[in-house]
Amino acid sequence: MQPFGGRGAQMQSGGIAAMAFARGFLLTETRVPQPVAGWIESRVGDLNLWRDPRTPLRMAQAGDRWVAILGHFVDVRRPLDPEDDVLAACAGYEPAALLAETDHWSGRFVCLFGGPDGCAIAPDAIGSKPLYYSLDAPFVAGSHAALVARIADAAPNPEIAARLSRRAMYGLPGDYTIWRRVHVLTPNQTLDPATRQPSRFWPRGDIAEMSVEEAAQRVADIMTATMDGLTNRRRPVLFSLTAGLDSRLSLAASRRHVDSLECFTFSNGDHHRIDMEFALSAAPLLGLSHRPLETGLRLPRETREEFEAVMTEISPRNHFRRGSYAYTLNYPQHALHVRSSAGEIGRSFFRDPAKCFVPKTTNSLVSAWGGDAADRKVDLAAFADWTERSRYWSVQQIDLLDLFHWEHRMGTWLSELCLESDIAFDTHIMFSCRALLEAFVSAPLAERRVNKVFYASIHRMWPHLLALPINGEKVAWP
């Protein structure tokens, strides 16, 4: 299989100007001028929509109810069905029933739905396609905080912006952004445009405990269905191949489709040495098309300043801009990058003794996030606001450590990482499915902490992968 992209293909077509708020969208109560050249205007319910044509819009209506999707998804119960058919089947559902349907949608999207009782907006399971919104009237929401701030005329928030210099933290405190009264909607919430207030819709009830084998079967079924759907969409599918456990699980789910994947591994010296050693040895054994992806390239001096300015508006924190630049040099815009981020939820990441905290107070959340112990007043206020808006402390059906990693870390860090790579292509996070994450957290905590659901799932889908070292170490299973 030949590589999908050609060196410099994207940078020579459209240039840096085409990267501004890439794959973005803007929702407003009142009509506003075109925010970005080339964006398309539509009407969704009572809201005005501007969107980048690279972000698809799908809508369906049944009677006086309607549903719309910005982005892409696979219904894991019927992965080969077109998204339009899935939407048509549930367009007439009441809000609670529709949201329950989205539990089975693996994807990166924002869902809008409405009827006689008004409309609401919900992100995908982990908020990988984020929704930022202003607390002020009239309603303004969109894909990028800087875009929402511009339209809402929001003032900068220097106290929050100062947190960007703290490299130990993965994101900003709470649901805050560097603009006053502009916030991000974290996962498992809906947003009411009329009140500009979020509302929690998950978990809906008790999560029944399952054995490791029961959970593993559910995980295997969902992840295999996800890959069935993604490889049926007539677009290049890129796969980040690493030596890690999350990547191994996603690879196992891809067993039937290895011929459809273009795998790559970051080439960045010792930082990715274990990943590269694994990929170079495993790819020929497994029949994978693979290439190292050099991420140490520097932009030409004449475009560097413009590129940094555009990327700063996309995400104020530099997560992996040089990686996004490398993507633009090697892959086409219509490709889909399959990532294995967010698997830490299934492994109860915050139960690691080095990261564990007792989730009883806002102060403990700040500690887990990584705030500076000498300057916590702003951080505590931000997290107190977020926990109130998200009703975080009211949740009893799931370990609060897992919920914090799911809703805060994924909803504020991973979403920005995806925004950065939008300049090159769209992203699909394999773990962005509530039914999948619910299967993981249904297994006993002690078994999850030692990765048993992961190992059992891999064993069901592609057992040979467990014979290969994971992060440089051999795995004893079963």
Side-chain angles (χ1 to χ4, degrees):
M1 181 183 295
Q2 294 297 313
F4 291 123
R7 188 174 177 84
Q10 291 195 44
M11 293 297 285
Q12 296 170 5
S13 176
I16 293 174
M19 298 178 181
F21 300 126
R23 296 174 214 278
F25 63 90
L26 178 69
L27 292 160
T28 56
E29 182 179 337
T30 58
R31 189 173 184 272
V32 298
Q34 184 184 50
V36 180
W39 279 24
I40 300 170
E41 187 176 21
S42 307
R43 195 76 179 167
V44 180
D46 293 330
L47 299 176
N48 198 75
L49 167 68
W50 285 103
R51 65 180 174 91
D52 186 323
R54 291 169 290 187
T55 291
L57 169 67
R58 293 179 173 85
M59 299 180 64
Q61 185 159 357
D64 55 6
R65 295 202 170 274
W66 55 270
V67 59
I69 289 287
L70 285 162
H72 76 271
F73 71 94
V74 171
D75 188 324
V76 298
R77 299 162 302 181
R78 40 177 179 160
L80 302 185
D81 284 8
E83 290 144 303
D84 289 331
D85 291 354
V86 176
L87 291 182
C90 62
Y93 287 10
E94 297 288 330
L98 178 63
L99 289 168
E101 283 291 298
T102 69
D103 288 358
H104 307 281
W105 296 357
S106 176
R108 184 172 181 238
F109 60 85
V110 168
C111 179
L112 301 92
F113 55 93
D117 45 358
C119 71
I121 311 171
D124 60 66
I126 59 172
S128 60
K129 194 167 189 69
L131 181 80
Y132 297 92
Y133 65 98
S134 170
L135 291 176
D136 295 327
F139 178 73
V140 179
S143 53
H144 297 78
L147 177 60
V148 172
R150 180 186 302 174
I151 302 302
D153 196 25
N157 191 334
E159 291 180 321
I160 297 297
R163 272 69 189 151
L164 293 173
S165 63
R166 299 180 183 174
R167 300 306 304 170
M169 300 176 306
Y170 53 79
L172 296 174
D175 58 353
Y176 276 41
T177 71
I178 63 171
W179 290 274
R180 297 190 187 280
R181 298 181 63 76
V182 174
H183 298 267
V184 63
L185 183 66
T186 49
N188 303 320
Q189 315 280 316
T190 59
L191 181 67
D192 182 348
T195 63
R196 301 168 302 285
Q197 292 298 315
S199 177
R200 175 173 293 280
F201 67 86
W202 189 93
R204 299 179 185 85
D206 292 339
I207 299 173
E209 184 171 295
M210 291 193 286
S211 68
V212 167
E213 289 303 320
E214 289 172 327
Q217 184 62 62
R218 181 74 173 134
V219 167
D221 289 344
I222 292 174
M223 295 191 74
T224 299
T226 299
M227 286 305 303
D228 289 346
L230 295 179
T231 54
N232 191 50
R233 297 297 169 89
R234 297 183 180 180
R235 63 193 301 185
V237 178
L238 313 177
F239 188 94
S240 308
L241 184 62
T242 75
L245 181 58
D246 300 346
S247 175
R248 195 69 53 87
L249 180 60
S250 296
L251 182 60
S254 310
R255 184 177 186 178
R256 295 199 291 248
H257 306 287
V258 292
D259 291 341
S260 300
L261 304 181
E262 177 69 17
C263 301
F264 67 84
T265 304
F266 295 129
S267 177
N268 188 27
D270 285 344
H271 186 61
H272 291 102
R273 179 179 54 81
I274 293 178
D275 290 337
M276 186 61 70
E277 289 176 352
F278 166 77
L280 292 178
S281 62
L285 293 175
L286 302 174
L288 301 173
S289 172
H290 175 265
R291 63 188 294 194
L293 184 66
E294 175 59 56
T295 60
L297 300 173
R298 292 177 62 85
L299 275 80
R301 185 184 302 274
E302 62 272 16
T303 59
R304 195 176 305 156
E305 184 174 341
E306 182 184 4
F307 176 82
E308 289 296 331
V310 168
M311 295 302 290
T312 297
E313 285 211 308
I314 289 174
S315 170
R317 183 187 291 274
N318 182 349
H319 294 279
F320 193 42
R321 291 176 188 171
R322 54 191 173 83
S324 297
Y325 172 60
Y327 297 149
T328 69
L329 297 179
N330 290 276
Y331 299 109
Q333 284 281 328
H334 67 293
L336 181 68
H337 179 198
V338 175
R339 295 185 65 118
S340 302
S341 310
E344 304 97 323
I345 300 168
R347 292 185 279 109
S348 196
F349 173 83
F350 272 114
R351 283 291 176 184
D352 186 305
K355 303 178 180 68
C356 193
F357 66 100
V358 179
K360 290 185 177 180
T361 66
T362 303
N363 192 69
S364 63
L365 300 184
V366 174
S367 298
W369 164 70
D372 187 345
D375 180 20
R376 287 192 168 179
K377 183 178 180 181
V378 172
D379 304 333
L380 286 167
F383 272 100
D385 283 351
W386 173 67
T387 54
E388 181 178 357
R389 266 190 288 271
S390 68
R391 295 175 58 214
Y392 173 81
W393 297 116
S394 71
V395 176
Q396 299 179 355
Q397 303 94 327
I398 179 174
D399 189 306
L400 285 178
L401 297 169
D402 292 331
L403 192 69
F404 184 73
H405 186 75
W406 177 342
E407 295 187 348
H408 194 264
R409 186 177 177 91
M410 296 301 104
T412 64
W413 164 74
L414 182 57
S415 57
E416 289 193 350
L417 196 64
C418 291
L419 288 180
E420 284 190 343
S421 62
D422 275 342
I423 65 172
F425 42 51
D426 196 7
T427 302
H428 186 98
I429 307 296
M430 282 294 288
F431 295 87
S432 185
C433 175
R434 253 184 306 276
L436 175 64
L437 293 175
E438 191 167 314
F440 274 117
V441 301
S442 69
L445 181 61
E447 309 283 29
R448 291 170 51 215
R449 282 292 304 123
V450 290
N451 306 324
K452 285 191 176 181
V453 176
F454 278 71
Y455 297 149
S457 300
I458 295 170
H459 188 262
R460 286 175 178 273
M461 294 184 285
W462 198 348
H464 176 62
L465 296 186
L466 290 175
L468 304 177
I470 295 176
N471 286 325
E473 299 182 359
K474 292 184 178 181
V475 174
W477 182 265

